[in-house]
Amino acid sequence: ISSYTMIGQNTKALAKAEALLPQLTPGSVPYGLVLFGCLNARLTRGEFRQLVQEMEEAATILKQNFESLHRQLIWAYAFCSFIREDAIAWLGEPVGKDDYAAIPLEIGQRYDFLDLVFWSYYPEVVRNSLTGRYPAIRAVSDEIFALIKKMGRPIQHENRFQVCLAFAAIEYGDIAEGERYAHKVVALGERMKNPHQQASGKILEGMIAEQRLHLDDAAACFAAAVELSRQSETDQLLPALYRLAEVQLKQKAFEAAEALLTEAHELACSKRLENPYHQIQTWRIKARLESEKDPTSARIPEWYGQSIALAESTDNPYQSALGHGALGSWYVEREELDKAETHLEAAAKAW
């Protein structure tokens, strides 16, 4: 199962697991290890909610059998706990809220697994990258790069940190730093010929181009990411779709933007790919698109409100500020100045 996931054959991996699990005793170590073997497939496909559930189950099984576990299965127990926390972070939800968060560092230090010490940082890095806390990532980057160097610079570890660092830097406006790490992500994707990695690189390049108002270049990058993600059934499809839609909105290509945005929003709200962080984006972009089509539509404050509510429920002040700022600006255009002031003040406070 794990071998299939490592070569991008995620559908085959999950089919193998689905066939094997009914033959095993629920709660047994082999049952937990089959769930563990599916983690790369779930992670790459963006099935984070199911991944949280399966890693909780796998970690619980391994914990109950901890005293009889060999060293590598002790590592697997801690890695399940990390992946569970990682998936929560990619959903845009707060991390470090229960005992799972402490397990990777605890096991890493007790049993001298340096990679677990590294991974113990990662959920908070992801969380900070999605909440606009780039300085918090920079504050620990020296420690993280030192760990990567000590481990011999394994590609997976270094790359995953660089993706988050590049994303956070670009969002924060540090384009030079973002571009430096984005180039590394792109180069690795070209070298590995891995569609998931290539799509990640294209999204980062598109974000940089969009920041520089090179909208045609941005659209080309996001379109390439959409195509790569469709081919490989990976989680980059969702952000590629709505980022391309946002650029097309700026280019006044409203019909094309609406088609992409509708697909992105349906995916973000679906049972398989449900993701609050992506829903925050799609609700806000839907409101912007609606304001272009019908500036008086009652859907505009409703959809901005949906985005703001999700941002606040997932404790994301950065995304809350974006939503309040956009809604406040719309009320200014409508000359409803009391409402505008309320939302603009809320945006400033959240920022």
Side-chain angles (χ1 to χ4, degrees), residues 114-151:
L114 194 56
D115 65 327
L116 290 177
V117 176
F118 167 83
W119 291 124
S120 71
Y121 284 88
Y122 194 69
E124 193 67 35
V125 167
V126 172
R127 171 73 178 162
N128 286 333
S129 75
L130 300 184
T131 55
R133 297 187 178 105
Y134 171 61
I137 300 175
R138 291 294 300 157
V140 297
S141 63
D142 287 347
E143 297 171 42
I144 292 174
F145 278 123
L147 281 169
I148 291 169
K149 184 178 180 181
K150 193 173 181 180
M151 289 187 290

Side-chain angles (χ1 to χ4, degrees), residues 55 59 76-86 99-101 103-104:
M55 290 303 100
Y77 159 62
F79 199 73
C80 286
S81 302
F82 151 65
I83 288 291
R84 183 258 191 191
E85 197 76 357
D86 186 41
D99 293 341
Y100 290 95
I103 291 168

